[in-house]
Amino acid sequence: MHEKIDLDQYSGSINIEDAMEKSFKDPFNIFHFIGFILVLLIPTLPASLSWLKISGLL
C-alpha cells in the first residue's frame, strides 16, 4: 500500500567512496591564468604605451 521512498536519490547527496574512486582533473590551467592576467592588464595598455613613448623606449 505505502511504498518506501529512498530519499538519497532525491537529496543530491554524494557517496564519498564513489567520489574518491573517480579521478580528479584539476580545472585550472597555467595558460588560463596567464591569459586572465593579460586581460586584466588591457585597461593599462594606453598608459603603458604613453610612458614607454615618453621615456624613449618605444
Side-chain angles (χ1 to χ4, degrees):
M1 192 163 143
H2 293 288
E3 291 184 32
K4 183 178 178 185
I5 298 174
D6 184 16
L7 294 178
D8 285 338
Q9 65 181 346
Y10 300 109
S11 65
S13 64
I14 299 172
N15 188 355
I16 299 299
E17 289 82 16
D18 291 341
M20 295 300 283
E21 289 176 8
K22 294 180 181 176
S23 63
F24 177 73
K25 184 175 185 291
D26 193 7
F28 300 106
N29 187 341
I30 187 66
F31 297 116
H32 292 159
F33 178 73
I34 292 171
F36 177 71
I37 297 299
L38 289 176
V39 166
L40 288 178
L41 291 176
I42 288 174
T44 66
L45 186 61
S48 300
L49 291 175
S50 297
W51 279 108
L52 287 173
K53 189 174 181 181
I54 290 171
S55 64
L57 296 175
L58 189 65

